[in-house]
Amino acid sequence: MDVLWMIALLAIPFLMFASSTFVFYFKKFFYVAWMMLLAVVAIPLCILKSGGRDIENMRVIRFLVRHVKYLLGLRFEVSGWEHLQTEGPYVVISNHQSSLDVLGLMEILPDRCSAIAKKELIYAGTVGLICWLGGIVFINRKKTSDAKGVMADTAKVMLNEQIRLWVFPEGTRNQNGDLLPFKKGAFHLAVQAQVPIIPVVFSSYGNFYLQKEKQFKSGTIRLKILPKIETKGMTPDDVSSLCEKSFRLMRSAFLDISGTRSNGPLRH
């Protein structure tokens, strides 16, 4: 048995060099396992710090996660930092390509900022528990009425507790080299709370991470933080135009920083 373990350990470096498919699955497994282990460390720290569910626990989570990018061979180039220097509550919106987005989120996460996530995440073992302790708002995407109710309640909490929320308006992961049409929940939230929207754009992962081709190489992710979009004075009637404006701004920035600028029509 010891010999078999030794052979397996010696085979890993060879496979890492010889097989891109092995590297893909190895990095994916390592990423998930390491994040779950970090959650095990973070859970007691958060309970000791805040006594339970509290948005201030995101500071602990942010601190523990920021090194993970180095283990996966990833780097971030961030521009537009000044746009996050906004007082009070606001809604951050960003495009969504994979679970790796969490690393970018933690790279620039403002203080007193949590996220809105699908309800299924709460059942993801230690990761689900630490998300709950960090104040993440869970919504049922399959029940629109429930999601709208959560958004309405969340708008009140944002103002009462002076918090920020990060939302992925595409609603699902997308690696097609473009942005999916935005769902309107984030924009209803911002209008109800009368708080600004700050768009954040991740460059395409296509040069280092390809799910279908089973490739996961080292790479650089460009993060562009765009100027805030004010919502003061807007009503529900303005949500559609606000959503359209945000989509166009973010798609233009995505194509620019990804080096895939197209002359085709904007799609929404």
Side-chain angles (χ1 to χ4, degrees), residues 242-262:
L242 177 62
C243 180
E244 174 75 20
K245 176 182 179 180
S246 301
F247 175 85
R248 289 179 177 273
L249 288 170
M250 289 179 65
R251 183 176 187 263
S252 178
F254 174 77
L255 295 175
D256 279 339
I257 64 177
S258 301
T260 56
R261 169 58 65 185
S262 168

Side-chain angles (χ1 to χ4, degrees), residues 12-220:
I12 289 175
F14 172 76
L15 291 170
M16 291 289 286
F17 177 77
S19 172
S20 60
T21 300
F22 178 83
V23 171
F24 176 84
Y25 284 111
F26 181 85
K27 281 190 170 183
K28 289 274 287 185
F29 174 81
F30 174 81
Y31 177 51
V32 172
W34 192 250
M35 294 294 272
M36 293 184 75
L37 181 60
L38 289 176
V40 170
V41 175
I43 288 167
L45 292 177
C46 289
I47 292 173
L48 288 172
K49 180 183 188 318
S50 305
R53 180 174 166 86
D54 192 316
I55 198 167
E56 288 297 321
N57 287 330
M58 291 303 293
R59 291 175 180 263
V60 175
I61 299 168
R62 181 178 62 190
F63 173 77
L64 289 174
V65 169
R66 276 188 169 174
H67 74 282
V68 177
K69 59 180 182 281
Y70 300 116
L71 302 179
L72 297 175
L74 302 178
R75 298 293 184 273
F76 289 94
E77 292 180 358
V78 182
S79 61
W81 273 107
E82 67 276 10
H83 301 309
L84 280 180
Q85 311 311 309
T86 299
E87 296 295 324
Y90 50 77
V91 175
V92 180
I93 57 173
S94 72
N95 54 316
H96 191 19
Q97 297 178 77
S98 83
S99 59
L100 296 175
D101 296 342
V102 172
L103 303 182
L105 185 154
M106 291 299 168
E107 186 75 9
I108 65 169
L109 188 75
D111 289 337
R112 296 197 61 74
C113 182
S114 193
I116 291 179
K118 60 183 180 181
K119 188 177 181 180
E120 293 84 350
L121 183 60
I122 200 170
Y123 304 113
T126 56
V127 170
L129 179 53
I130 198 61
C131 287
W132 182 82
L133 287 170
I136 284 180
V137 178
F138 297 98
I139 60 171
N140 188 342
R141 295 181 301 179
K142 296 179 181 178
K143 292 188 178 180
T144 304
S145 57
D146 289 354
K148 286 182 177 179
V150 170
M151 288 296 191
D153 292 340
T154 301
K156 297 175 184 176
V157 173
M158 285 185 72
L159 297 175
N160 291 339
E161 300 185 16
Q162 293 292 290
I163 66 174
R164 295 90 180 246
L165 281 171
W166 190 300
V167 186
F168 296 103
E170 289 172 289
T172 189
R173 300 173 189 176
N174 165 43
Q175 271 198 291
N176 69 0
D178 206 337
L179 302 189
L180 294 176
F182 287 173
K183 299 182 184 301
K184 296 179 181 177
F187 306 96
H188 279 292
L189 173 62
V191 168
Q192 286 180 35
Q194 294 285 282
V195 298
I197 290 172
I198 299 181
V200 171
V201 184
F202 295 73
S203 63
S204 172
Y205 296 172
N207 63 334
F208 68 89
Y209 180 82
L210 295 169
Q211 180 80 26
K212 290 182 180 179
E213 291 79 359
K214 302 295 182 286
Q215 291 185 5
F216 193 166
K217 301 180 289 187
S218 298
T220 298

